[in-house]
């Protein structure tokens, strides 16, 4: 059964267009279940009706004609109850409704199951048979499993505008994702794919088929030459057996089957990179499934060859446009920090990524740069978006494709209003972040990019609460050396001196991979991350600590922060390395003072060991992004569970309140550097709890400062008491919104969907 299921899903997934997908789906299911009829009814969200979209067995003229309400007929019953219905004699059921055009009266047995994706009813899958019999349990299980798997595929087709033809005229479509960077933008979509990635090549229709074939030939020719010269270079260094592998490569490249298939795909209407990717992927899938070790090994070779040829094809028609449109909305499967850096800042107005979530690191950086961002757009039809005009709503997590003039001018008004608000708030940015009842709340910034160190910031903040050192590491091609790091850190420390700069030691792992230090793990957020990596690589940590100490010479505004601490031993080990770095530098004639060292509170275990940590650390900084993820057991990057990820969950808030109280008792300063600090409502709560400083992306400062300047600390304390009595994140958000409304500060809160 599993095999049949997998094959059907693969075929449906691989279908070029929606009609083909639906037709494959019903035909394959009918065959697998040996039934007379298989049909699919689509739930139209606009008018709450079900439409017969595809059938094999019923009259084909009925397709698109038969529609029923959600409470009508057996199909309506399946849809409204959202559960399977298995009947031996359909016609005797009180809900049975007869549609003449389907020729349905001949079928007695009926099995219908809903197709649901992310809690949304997409449609109903029905099988019918003329003999009177109840479908057995295995049939039911098969169809339910099938429907569960088809949910994602259909949701994708729906979102692409293929399925719901009536509501998505002229290619208009709206896609939903996770709001990851506030703000809105109107612009042109530029789809980028990482180079030589077979899985992210967009589909494009070639304008000149012969040209596509010629450049395919040229790319293959280049790879042949590359392989030949690699073999020559290595011929006296490796064994004859290993050299034979190069021969295998040459043979594969010359294999008529593979090549011919690519050419055929091109002639069918696919450009060369897309055709190559399709064919290579299919071969790899096939080879990976065969029961033969030798052939399975060849899958990797085919993929490698495919990548090499693709790299040459992409060299020519680079994935990155030579000139970016004036208002570029960058769209990609996964946008890396490097890709971000490729677009001139003044042209980049928005970011959209299929993967990632609001606290993925690229989102954090985008926010720091003030770029509206939506991520987790799992249903996005990347290949067809390039060049489309789009409206991006980073507050609500929406992307409108070919929006039409009405929607565009609606959004233009909203954008103008935001700009006006920003201007108004700008006037008070040089005023202290002091509450009406005289409490000074220290506001700090999170940095990582050089652009963060803008001169105007310095007078408005109390320092840098988090310098993410991994950011510069992500944009280099190797670990930066001690001198290079010293220069980087010096720049940061100098820009903000005499204000303190909290530099976090390298926090890689999780979703932060270095291209030159890949970490492949099944559970990266529970794996080798932060201090776990750097303590395993003292050579990396030592260089970093030495560079920080050197950079701080004569400025003495450095503080060091340790990420992902789980055990006190980790702090002890890191401190030992720090002391060693100071001694080593001393031996080299550089006198370095021991900076204050802080521990990040982001692993729940640290909540229960604060006292032991306080004996070792000078201060604490709460990483609310990770603390939320670990307390709630919700992957911060997984769009499927993004709705569950909320730092305003009562459990997270009570942990935060407790942390503030305990640190005060332990006489250790504590601040927050996660995203919660940059949310005006979150900031008031944290102030009320007693945190000493809030560190956030610079673009969040104006709204947070405005909130602090308008709400007395006593009211913030009350807000904490009220909020901590609530039981769900929704209730908390609702309460915060109500209070902001009473204070007439709603405009400071980001609009939510
Ligand atoms: C956090 O976890 O809240 C934090 C500030 O660190 P990062 O987002 O870089 O993991
Ligand atoms: Mg963290």
């Amino acid at each position: 059964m599993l095999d049949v299921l997998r094959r059907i899903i693969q075929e449906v997934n691989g279908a070029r267009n929606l009609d083909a997908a639906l037709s494959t789906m019903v035909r394959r299911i009918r065959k697998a279940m040996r039934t007379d009829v298989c049909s699919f009814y689509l739930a139209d969200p606009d008018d709450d009706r079900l439409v017969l979209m595809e059938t094999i067995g019923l009259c084909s003229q009925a397709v698109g004609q038969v529609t029923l309400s959600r409470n009508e007929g057996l199909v309506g019953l399946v849809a409204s109850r959202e559960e399977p219905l298995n009947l031996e004699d359909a016609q005797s059921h009180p809900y049975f409704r007869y549609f003449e055009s389907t020729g349905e009266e001949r079928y007695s047995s009926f099995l219908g199951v809903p197709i649901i994706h992310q809690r949304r009813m997409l449609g109903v899958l029905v099988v019918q048979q003329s003999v009177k019999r109840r479908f057995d349990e295995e049939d039911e299980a098969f169809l339910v499993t099938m429907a569960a798997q088809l949910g994602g595929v259909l949701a994708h087709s729906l979102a692409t505008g293929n399925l719901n033809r009536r509501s998505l005229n002229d290619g208009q479509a709206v896609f939903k994702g996770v709001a990851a960077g506030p703000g809105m933008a109107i612009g042109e979509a530029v789809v980028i794919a990482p180079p030589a990635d077979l899985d992210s090549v967009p589909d494009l229709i070639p304008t000149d088929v012969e040209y596509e074939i010629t450049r395919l030939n040229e790319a293959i020719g280049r790879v042949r030459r590359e392989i030949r010269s690699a073999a020559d270079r290595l011929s006296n260094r490796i064994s004859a057996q290993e050299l034979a592998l190069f021969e295998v490569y040459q043979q594969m490249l010359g294999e008529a089957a593979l090549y011919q298939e690519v050419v055929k795909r091109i002639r069918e209407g696919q450009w060369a990179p897309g055709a190559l990717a399709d064919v290579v992927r299919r071969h790899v899938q096939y080879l990976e499934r065969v029961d033969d070790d030798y052939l399975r090994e060849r899958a990797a070779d085919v993929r490698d060859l495919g990548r090499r040829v693709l790299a040459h094809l992409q060299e020519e028609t680079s994935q990155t446009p030579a000139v970016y449109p004036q208002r570029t909305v960058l769209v990609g499967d996964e946008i890396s920090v490097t890709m971000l850096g490729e677009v001139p800042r003044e042209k980049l107005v928005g970011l959209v990524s299929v993967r990632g979530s609001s606290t993925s690191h690229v989102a954090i950086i985008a926010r720091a740069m003030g770029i509206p961002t939506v991520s987790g757009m799992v249903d996005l039809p990347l290949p067809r978006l390039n060049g489309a005009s789009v409206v991006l709503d980073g507050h609500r997590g929406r992307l409108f494709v070919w929006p039409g003039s009405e929607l565009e001018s609606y959004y233009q008004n909203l954008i103008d209003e935001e700009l006006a608000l920003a201007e108004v708030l700008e006037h008070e940015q040089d005023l202290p972040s002091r509450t009406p009842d005289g409490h000074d709340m220290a506001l700090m910034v999170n940095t990582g990019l050089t652009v963060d160190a803008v001169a105007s910031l310095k007078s408005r903040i109390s320092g840098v609460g988090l310098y993410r050192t991994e950011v510069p590491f992500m944009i280099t091609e190797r670990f930066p050396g001690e001198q290079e790091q010293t220069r980087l850190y010096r720049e940061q420390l100098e820009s903000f001196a005499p204000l303190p700069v909290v530099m976090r030691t390298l926090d890689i792992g999780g979703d932060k991979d270095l291209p030159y230090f890949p970490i492949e793990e099944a559970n990266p957020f529970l794996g080798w991350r932060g201090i776990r990596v750097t303590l395993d690589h003292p050579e990396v940590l030592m260089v970093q600590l030495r560079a920080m100490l050197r950079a701080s010479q004569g400025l003495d505004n450095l503080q060091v922060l340790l990420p992902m601490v789980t055990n006190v031993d980790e702090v002890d080990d890191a401190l030992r390395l720090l002391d060693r770095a100071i001694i080593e530098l001393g031996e080299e004639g550089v006198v370095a003072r021991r900076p204050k060292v802080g521990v990040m509170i982001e692993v729940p275990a640290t909540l229960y060991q604060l006292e032991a940590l306080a004996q070792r650390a000078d201060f604490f900084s709460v990483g609310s992004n990770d603390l939320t993820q670990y307390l709630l057991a919700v992957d911060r990057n997984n769009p499927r569970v993004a709705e569950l990820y909320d730092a305003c969950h009562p459990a997270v808030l009570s942990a935060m309140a407790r942390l503030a109280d305990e640190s005060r008792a332990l006489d250790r300063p504590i601040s927050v550097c996660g995203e919660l600090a940059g949310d005006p409502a979150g900031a008031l709560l944290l102030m009320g709890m007693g945190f000493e400083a809030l560190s956030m992306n610079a673009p969040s400062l104006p709204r947070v400062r405005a909130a602090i300047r308008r709400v007395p600390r006593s009211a913030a304390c009350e807000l904490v008491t009220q909020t901590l009595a609530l039981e769900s994140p929704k209730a908390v958000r609702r309460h915060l919104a109500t209070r902001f409304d009473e204070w007439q500060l709603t405009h400071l809160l980001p609009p939510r969907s």
Side-chain angles (χ1 to χ4, degrees), residues 361 364 468 504 512 529 602 623-626 636 673-674:
H361 284 90
I364 289 175
R468 290 184 166 96
R504 181 169 73 181
K512 286 176 291 189
R529 242 202 107 175
E602 47 188 353
S624 56
N625 305 338
D626 278 313
R636 64 194 257 188
C673 62

Side-chain angles (χ1 to χ4, degrees), residues 446-467:
N446 294 348
T447 60
L449 300 163
T450 332
V451 294
D452 292 324
V454 270
S456 60
L457 255 186
K458 198 167 145 182
S459 60
R460 302 172 169 190
I461 54 171
S462 315
V464 173
L466 171 67
Y467 172 61

Side-chain angles (χ1 to χ4, degrees), residues 367-543:
R367 270 201 295 277
M369 292 167 75
I371 305 169
T373 303
V374 178
S375 52
M377 284 220 156
V378 279
D379 295 327
L380 206 60
L382 279 186
R384 272 165 257 158
L385 279 187
N386 208 18
S389 106
V390 291
V391 165
L392 181 70
D393 184 338
H395 296 302
R396 298 173 190 83
R398 298 278 191 284
L399 178 75
F400 301 90
V401 179
W402 301 115
S405 56
E406 215 172 288
L407 192 78
E408 211 174 289
S409 60
Y410 169 76
Y411 266 94
Q412 191 56 57
N413 280 340
L414 293 181
I415 292 171
D416 294 344
E417 276 171 25
E418 282 216 329
L419 273 175
L421 175 66
E423 252 173 59
V424 171
L425 296 183
E426 176 60 26
H427 293 306
E428 55 183 272
Q429 287 317 296
D430 286 313
L431 300 174
S433 46
R434 182 172 301 149
T435 60
D437 52 355
H439 174 73
D440 280 316
M441 185 71 226
L443 299 185
M444 305 177 93
V445 286
N446 294 348
T447 60
L449 300 163
T450 332
V451 294
D452 292 324
V454 270
S456 60
L457 255 186
K458 198 167 145 182
S459 60
R460 302 172 169 190
I461 54 171
S462 315
V464 173
L466 171 67
Y467 172 61
R468 290 184 166 96
T469 56
E470 58 279 0
V471 177
F473 277 62
M474 283 178 187
I475 29 196
T476 53
E477 285 175 358
R478 54 181 167 72
F479 281 112
E482 188 170 320
Q483 269 187 12
E484 202 175 338
Q485 287 188 49
T486 307
R487 195 177 41 72
L488 268 171
Y489 303 154
R490 179 85 191 171
E491 217 174 279
Q492 275 285 317
L493 293 167
E494 251 173 6
S495 309
F496 293 99
L499 303 176
V501 174
V502 180
M503 292 200 165
R504 181 169 73 181
T505 60
L506 198 59
D507 185 14
I508 51 171
D511 68 334
K512 286 176 291 189
D513 237 6
L514 301 177
Y516 45 89
F517 191 72
I519 302 172
E520 296 276 339
E521 289 179 318
N523 278 314
F525 276 112
L526 298 184
W528 207 39
R529 242 202 107 175
I531 200 159
R532 303 173 184 180
V533 178
T534 48
L535 285 179
D536 284 351
H537 280 280
E539 77 286 11
V540 174
L541 185 54
M542 278 300 281
V543 170

Side-chain angles (χ1 to χ4, degrees), residues 652-715:
V652 179
L653 293 179
S654 70
M656 304 289 287
R658 192 182 133 167
L659 277 169
D661 288 346
E662 280 192 33
S663 305
R664 200 175 314 117
L666 292 165
D667 201 21
R668 286 289 173 278
I670 188 163
S671 58
V672 179
C673 62
E675 298 301 303
L676 185 63
D679 170 349
L684 289 188
L685 283 175
L686 297 171
M687 176 173 79
M689 289 175 189
F691 282 94
E692 274 139 72
L694 304 176
S695 193
M696 66 202 74
N697 299 315
S700 303
L701 280 171
R703 284 171 199 256
V704 169
R705 185 188 311 269
I708 286 170
R709 289 179 50 78
R710 283 162 182 77
V711 178
R713 184 173 137 93
S714 56

Side-chain angles (χ1 to χ4, degrees), residues 572-589:
D572 289 338
D573 290 346
L575 290 176
R576 249 191 307 276
L577 289 178
L578 179 67
D579 288 335
R580 212 176 87 199
I582 294 171
I583 294 170
E584 278 179 20
L585 286 175
E587 286 164 4
E588 293 163 30

